[in-house]
Amino acid sequence: MSDGGPNRGGGRDSGGADRESGSGSAGERRGGRGSGRPAQGRGSRDRGRRPDSQRTASRPADRSRGGDPARRAAYDVLRSVAATDAYANLVLPPVLTERRIRGRDAAFATELTYGTLRLQGRYDAVIAHAAQRDVGSLDAEVLDVLRLGAHQLLGMRVPGHAAVSETVGLARATCGTGPSQLVNAVLRRISERSLPEWLDLLGAEADDETARLAVTQSHPAWVVRAMRSALARTGPGDGDLEALLEADNASPSVNLVVRPGLAGPEDAPDAVPGRWAPTALVLRGGDPGAIEAVRTGRIGVQDEGSQLVALAAAAVAIEGADHTWLDLCAGPGGKAALSAALLAARAPDGRFVANEVAEHRARLVERSMAAVRQVLPGIEVRTGDGREIGTSEPGRYDRVLVDVPCTGLGALRRRPESRWRRSPSDLATLGQLQRELLTSALAATRAGGVVAYVTCSPHLAETRFVVEDVLKRTAGATLVDAVEVLAGVSAEPLGDLRGPYVQLWPHRHGTDAMFLALIRA
Ligand SMILES: C[S@@+](CC[C@H](N)C(=O)[O-])C[C@H]1O[C@@H](n2cnc3c(N)ncnc32)[C@H](O)[C@@H]1O
């Protein structure tokens, strides 16, 4: 649960803005829990304390007429996400900039937007109960307003009276007076129970354990089942399934990667060393864009799990030449930049090809690689279909990274809406593409070279099933124990990993759920 920020009754700093790379509100990370009940006295006291410099430029009367700017921004982003399939982390920052919503108001809007999206499944069940009707029968606009109100009441430290009255004001401004009365009635009913009381109630009504976890932890049931199966196959079993789902609902910290040969930890003085990857830093707060080394690309923003798999891909021993590397699916370029910097340290005259099928993402790769070119001139960024490289350049590369397009179920913390957009049918389409890309990667690798197959999904259909299928059809290819290789690059033992595959987890390692298989061609 998160702090509300000033004028929202919490009165504590709710931290910096969330972003794809994962900063998020410090309030949520602190894990404090409000009562979820009205707290009028606390709210009015805190309103008086709010420094002027932190206020959004609107008077209370304006806020109750039109909804306050932070709540309005969150509402508009939710509407865009629903209506245009937009990504919240791309839509929100420009909205905040254009409307000059800054500081703690920006942090409030960010937490309200991302928290509401992540916990939408939970809140829809609460709303259905309180409204005594199916949420599908509500207008989409009204439902979004109710979700925002539910998150303020049950997921943030906003006093009940402020959450209800400000959200009713928002409903009046966006949906009209009639719907605002419904919003008022439903939010008042929601505010009568605390979050634990609601979770007990919803859990008790669920048909089975999967349904209970799906509704209380706000994940589609098919994702709960997939996570259970994946946990059961990796290390200590699935006893911590609920902890995983909870971790998916929290904002991740911002991880930085110090690109070898380009920068050092002293270039990010507000960060502390990461736990596992020697290249990783964890930002203690603030905007990574304010760091000069980040702006110039010597340091990047990258999940520590992504760093670990790139480090392991570069570390696995190969005999003979080791200077021609390929990243088959490079966009937006985080792993390519780290890998190319590692190649530069080993072979400054080495050649690194970063391939990406989407032109706009290839431009992002170009940008990620700009600073690395200083230490590795032999970088080529290409736009093309990775499935063709195995045929056009057979046996050309010493090392190939194939970080395939996937459902992204391992990065749900960073993509608040993605769990509601994916469906099991995506697995069939992606599975075929993943097999073709891995087959091409193996064909592009010389005998004795190595392919690193990576996903940011733990779904078995995207991880070991793909690898095992392709291996059956590829003569001479053999698995290398990726757990052993990773142990050689990690600063600390990663615990109970079961080889030959590596599967990282948000709740066990604090990383995205990255999967790694190392295959010798
Ligand atoms: C998981 S992302 C890669 C992330 C990247 N390795 C990084 O660390 O920044 C997968 C990428 O594969 C690209 N892709 C999808 N189909 C492809 C294909 N047939 N050939 C090459 N790239 C493809 C997608 O556009 C996407 O940018």
Side-chain angles (χ1 to χ4, degrees):
M1 185 162 312
S2 303
D3 293 349
N7 200 30
R8 275 121 197 159
R12 287 171 56 189
D13 188 353
S14 61
D18 211 337
R19 59 188 64 244
E20 183 171 26
S21 49
S23 86
S25 90
E28 200 169 58
R29 282 199 301 280
R30 275 198 291 273
R33 195 171 60 74
S35 69
R37 296 200 180 88
Q40 299 180 6
R42 194 176 51 161
S44 43
R45 275 202 309 277
D46 286 347
R47 216 186 329 270
R49 281 197 222 123
R50 188 180 195 206
D52 271 347
S53 61
Q54 292 171 345
R55 292 180 68 92
T56 296
S58 70
R59 291 167 298 145
D62 296 335
R63 284 201 307 274
S64 55
R65 268 204 302 274
D68 96 287
R71 288 179 174 87
R72 179 63 197 237
Y75 171 81
D76 289 340
V77 173
L78 253 54
R79 289 281 69 231
S80 270
V81 166
T84 66
D85 259 8
Y87 294 104
N89 65 323
L90 299 183
V91 177
L92 179 65
V95 166
L96 297 178
T97 307
E98 276 157 28
R99 301 182 191 184
R100 299 187 191 166
I101 299 171
R102 303 190 185 103
R104 302 180 79 184
D105 288 310
F108 180 87
T110 302
E111 166 49 31
L112 183 55
T113 307
Y114 294 171
T116 300
L117 284 168
R118 285 192 193 99
L119 294 169
Q120 179 178 307
R122 175 190 288 173
Y123 295 146
D124 282 2
V126 169
I127 291 164
H129 211 284
Q132 295 180 325
R133 59 200 270 192
D134 192 287
V135 291
S137 70
L138 294 166
D139 283 346
E141 291 81 3
V142 173
L143 180 56
D144 273 345
V145 173
L146 283 168
R147 289 167 174 163
L148 289 167
H151 188 54
Q152 291 168 67
L153 287 166
L154 303 178
M156 297 175 79
R157 291 181 181 174
V158 181
H161 82 286
V164 173
S165 69
E166 292 285 347
T167 309
V168 169
L170 177 68
R172 205 177 299 120
T174 54
C175 310
T177 306
S180 74
Q181 287 164 358
L182 170 73
V183 167
N184 187 30
V186 174
L187 291 184
R188 281 184 191 287
R189 254 173 258 141
I190 293 175
S191 73
E192 286 163 8
R193 289 190 172 94
S194 67
L195 177 65
E197 287 166 350
W198 274 113
L199 295 184
D200 285 350
L201 182 72
L202 298 178
E205 287 176 353
D207 289 341
D208 57 24
E209 181 59 3
T210 299
R212 182 188 77 76
L213 289 170
V215 73
T216 58
Q217 295 301 339
S218 197
H219 282 66
W222 73 274
V223 176
V224 175
R225 282 191 287 272
M227 297 293 188
R228 179 184 288 121
S229 306
L231 279 170
R233 292 288 288 268
T234 57
D238 64 357
D240 52 356
L241 174 58
E242 188 149 17
L244 166 63
L245 304 177
E246 258 172 36
D248 282 346
N249 290 333
S251 300
S253 53
V254 181
N255 290 177
L256 302 177
V257 55
V258 179
R259 292 180 175 141
L262 294 172
E266 66 283 359
D267 291 306
D270 283 338
V272 294
R275 183 164 175 201
W276 320 107
T279 46
L281 298 174
V282 180
L283 198 58
R284 279 184 297 205
D287 178 6
I291 301 169
E292 194 265 346
V294 172
R295 286 200 304 275
T296 54
R298 296 180 300 119
I299 288 182
V301 177
Q302 187 174 40
D303 172 67
E304 194 169 358
S306 288
Q307 297 179 46
L308 280 175
V309 296
L311 290 169
V316 57
I318 59 175
E319 276 185 20
D322 189 14
H323 50 64
T324 310
W325 294 13
L326 166 68
D327 184 343
L328 200 67
C329 302
K335 293 183 198 71
L338 174 55
S339 308
L342 294 168
L343 174 58
R346 198 169 299 174
D349 60 345
R351 184 169 163 67
F352 193 98
V353 175
N355 179 76
E356 164 59 46
V357 76
E359 228 166 88
H360 69 285
R361 288 176 74 83
R363 282 197 292 276
L364 298 176
V365 178
E366 192 60 72
R367 208 188 299 162
S368 303
M369 301 297 255
V372 191
R373 279 188 195 283
Q374 293 162 19
V375 289
L376 190 75
I379 289 175
E380 182 193 345
V381 177
R382 273 190 209 164
T383 307
D385 190 330
R387 289 174 290 188
E388 290 164 9
I389 294 185
T391 317
S392 59
E393 296 178 285
R396 165 134 194 244
Y397 296 92
D398 303 314
R399 282 179 204 266
V400 178
L401 172 65
V402 55
D403 183 9
V404 292
C406 67
T407 54
L409 295 182
L412 295 180
R413 306 176 300 167
R414 298 184 197 288
R415 300 172 196 154
E417 67 287 308
S418 70
R419 69 188 74 177
W420 312 116
R421 292 210 174 137
R422 287 296 183 187
S423 74
S425 64
D426 296 331
L427 293 165
T429 326
L430 286 165
Q432 176 65 20
L433 179 57
Q434 288 159 353
R435 282 166 176 77
E436 288 170 12
L437 285 164
L438 177 54
T439 304
S440 172
L442 282 163
T445 309
R446 71 163 171 87
V450 164
V451 171
Y453 175 85
V454 172
T455 68
C456 64
S457 165
H459 199 300
L460 295 171
E462 302 184 86
T463 57
R464 61 175 64 210
F465 295 168
V466 171
V467 173
E468 283 158 14
D469 233 26
V470 172
L471 280 180
K472 263 190 250 152
R473 291 185 270 112
T474 313
T478 53
L479 280 172
V480 176
D481 191 338
V483 171
E484 222 176 277
V485 176
L486 195 63
V489 300
S490 175
E492 266 189 47
L494 278 142
D496 196 359
L497 294 180
R498 191 191 299 162
Y501 307 115
V502 165
Q503 179 61 67
L504 301 174
W505 292 104
H507 63 301
R508 291 184 192 159
H509 306 105
T511 64
D512 288 347
M514 302 299 301
F515 171 86
L516 169 70
L518 293 172
I519 308 163
R520 194 173 302 284

